[in-house]
Structure formats: structure tokens, C-alpha cells
Amino acid sequence: MKTQSTILSVCFLAILAISSFVHGQPPRGPFVISPKVNPDKTVTFSYLAPNATTVLLDGNQFGSANVPMTKNAEGVWSITVGPVKPDIYPYGFKVDGVTVMDPANVAFFPNERFKASLVEIPTDSPAIYALQNVPHGSVTYEYYPSVESSTGTLVVYTPPGYTKETAKKYPVYYLISGTTDTEETFWKVGKVNLMLDNMIAQGKAKPMIIVMPYGNPLAKIAEQTGKDKPSDVMSRDGEDALRRMKLFETDLVTKVIPYIEKNYRTINNRDNRAIGGFSRGGGQTLRTAFNNVDKFAYVCSYASYISPAEMDKSFTNITSNPAKTNKDFKLLFSGIGTEDFLYKGTTEWENYLKDKKINFKSYVTDGGHTWMNVKKYLNETLPVLFK
């Protein structure tokens, strides 16, 4: 009898513990699916916030900035917008004035200053950046010894077959993200790995390694030495910005490239190295390439430029002998959108190059300073690298 009583007591205590555990957890609320892309290309966004006063959809890049959402009886706020032009877009919610990501969505925009969720509106036939049934390369995180005794981070794409064809060596494209973006952005937002998988499968691009560095080594140094992250630069081509770009250049040329060429099967000459970047990464690209003509034969500037004044001051090695420059660079690419806030500076730089008889490939599209346009620039340049 005592044994039965003991067992009953233990069971009762266990039930109390389970009950207490259950009641101690925060309420989960109704299950929310968001976003839902509908067959007609409209998109339904939902957010659980039963105690919120207002919830707005912040989808500026697909024309839905600060649109009020409607709350149902369960406390789920929803809105359907569109139809939306097929592409990949960032979005978020403003909950009582506070901008937040979509907690129901695992896809997000990596950035130093903001975090947005991502929604992909599919095209009727698979887009070049869509996941398709083709052989896929690999994406790897790397840590390497960086400048000022810090540890840097890289994302490295290796093409399909890299692990099997162990005697084969590959050209390398060093691809740099924009201001406040991270080493993940060309992968997670630009979808460069899927683009190249598809292009290689279609015979449109050569197999290559893509190295995506973190474009702000000063922030890594600060983080690892217990200092505050450096503030944004006041001027894109001011003294502070140029000093930071020089630090990045030093890191890329003296740390990143040697690390990659030691640890990956690469073809180690300028004809098999390309460099490219978006926004700040484009500025880093141009300055690094112009200071290291012996290192890169392909140069891709996505929505960036160097002012004529800086060209005259710092890069007479490029302009004084146009015949040599045109021979050195197999591709000098400049892509820009007509609504980009850097459009004016980019066109002035292109006109300067024309006056100096420097050959370059200009690609002008609509739209602004967005990653939708970056995918267009990639679509233009990846097929012509190393050919």
C-alpha cells in the first residue's frame, strides 16, 4: 500500500510540474504563414501582434511603403498587395512605430544596419537566379588571418564538380558587397551561387570560384578588440572613406588572395582573377584594381564610380597610357540604374573615361540602388568572365 501511495504521489507531482511548465510558457498564438505568394502574383503578409495598435507593411521596393494592415479576432494582422513584378524583395513590418522582420519567414537580408525579410515572386519560367534542377556548387564559410592581427570572414562558392575533379584548377572572382552589407549578401540576396549553377549548366558561363569578403575590416578589428563599431563615413569619396578603402585593399591583396590561393585550387595569374562589387564594394573594386593592375584582368563596377578629380590625382597610371590600360583590362564594366542616386556620378565618370579613350562596357538599366539591379549586373558580367 505504501508503495502504491508513493507512486501516486510521484505521479501527482509530475502532473503538477507539467502543468506548471505549460502555464509558464508564453502563449504561442495562432499559427501564421507569411508571406503567401498567390498564383496571380499578389502576396499576403501576416503578423501576429494581438496587443499592437497599428501594424504597417514596409515594402517600399515593390511599391507598398507603410501600408496599414488589418487585425482579425485572433490578433493576426494581414494585408494582400500586388500583383508584384517577379523578383526578390526586402520587406518588414512597422509595429507601433518599431520596424521588425517577419518572424514567420526564415529568409532575411544580411546587413550591418538593418535586417529585412525577403520574399521571392517567381517568374512564369524559372529565372536565372532561381533554384533549378541542375548540378549545384558548394558555399563555404571561411575564417582567415586578416589585417591588424584580426580574423576575417569569407563566403566561398566552388562550382559543381570541384570536389570530384581534384586535379582541375579554377579562375577566381572576388565579389564585394555594398555599404553595410555583409559577406553573405551576394549569396543570400544576390543569389550568385544559383545564378552561376544555372549558367554553368546551360553553358553560358565558365566554372569559377567566387570569393565574397566582408567589406568592412575596420568593423571586424573593432569588434575583436572591444571597441565600438565605426560609424558610417560622411562622404563616399572623403578622406575617411578612402582610408577605409585602402585598408580593405590591403586586406584583399595581402591576406585574402594569398589565403584563397593556398587553400583552393586556383589559377594564380591576373588573366584568371576578376574583381567586382556593388556600391561601396564597387568603389573598393575600382581602387583596388587600378592600384593593382598586375593582379586583375576583369573589373566590374556595379553602381559605383571614381570622380574625375580623384582619377586625375591618384590614377594617372590608368589614364596616361590608354592603349596599355585597354590591353591590361579584358573587361572594365560599369552598371547603373537610371533612378540610382549614384547615376549622375557614374555617368560623369563614364564620360571621363570616354574622353581619356579608356574602353569600358556600359550597362544602363531602369530602377534604383537595389539588389534587384545587382542581379541584372551579374547576369551581364558572369557569362563574359575568363573568356
Side-chain angles (χ1 to χ4, degrees), residues 88-91 101-102 105-111 114-119 141 182 184-185 187-191:
I88 301 172
Y89 299 92
Y91 74 95
M101 296 168 63
D102 187 343
N105 185 355
V106 298
F108 70 95
F109 194 122
N111 191 278
F114 68 86
K115 297 291 183 290
S117 297
L118 295 170
V119 59
Y141 277 90
T182 76
E184 294 184 333
T185 315
W187 163 40
K188 291 188 174 180
V189 186
K191 303 293 182 181

Side-chain angles (χ1 to χ4, degrees), residues 42-55:
T42 60
V43 188
T44 302
F45 298 93
S46 300
Y47 186 81
L48 175 63
N51 298 320
T53 303
T54 61
V55 179

Side-chain angles (χ1 to χ4, degrees), residues 188-348:
K188 291 188 174 180
V189 186
K191 303 293 182 181
V192 67
N193 58 314
L194 298 181
M195 292 184 74
L196 198 49
D197 286 343
N198 296 332
M199 288 179 178
I200 291 170
Q202 296 169 15
K204 293 181 178 179
K206 288 193 67 173
M208 67 186 78
I209 295 170
I210 298 182
V211 177
M212 293 161 267
Y214 183 64
N216 190 1
L218 193 64
K220 287 287 185 186
I221 295 168
E223 173 189 319
Q224 293 168 24
T225 55
K227 299 177 182 177
D228 292 337
K229 181 176 287 187
S231 59
D232 295 338
V233 297
M234 299 300 294
S235 170
R236 295 184 67 87
D237 52 4
E239 183 178 337
D240 184 32
L242 295 179
R243 184 168 54 251
R244 296 190 197 191
M245 288 194 183
K246 191 65 180 179
L247 180 65
F248 173 83
E249 176 190 331
T250 299
D251 188 43
L252 184 71
V253 172
T254 68
K255 301 294 185 178
V256 175
I257 293 178
Y259 178 85
I260 292 297
E261 294 184 351
K262 178 181 178 181
N263 291 280
Y264 288 83
R265 300 194 311 276
T266 58
I267 307 173
N268 302 336
N269 58 54
R270 67 180 308 277
D271 287 346
N272 286 281
R273 291 193 205 99
I275 184 170
F278 170 53
S279 191
R280 178 188 66 188
Q284 291 168 325
T285 288
L286 292 173
R287 291 170 177 89
T288 301
F290 291 173
N291 280 327
N292 300 272
V293 178
D294 62 315
K295 297 287 192 296
F296 308 98
Y298 299 84
V299 182
C300 301
S301 173
Y302 305 151
S304 194
Y305 64 91
I306 297 178
S307 71
E310 186 183 345
M311 290 292 298
D312 286 339
K313 178 182 178 181
S314 302
F315 299 111
T316 55
N317 63 312
I318 300 299
T319 58
S320 62
N321 190 343
K324 181 179 184 303
T325 297
N326 293 334
K327 182 179 179 181
D328 285 337
F329 293 132
K330 296 187 175 184
L331 174 68
L332 177 56
F333 177 91
S334 174
I336 192 67
T338 54
E339 298 167 49
D340 196 310
F341 73 97
L342 298 179
Y343 177 77
K344 181 176 182 292
T346 300
T347 54
E348 288 175 352

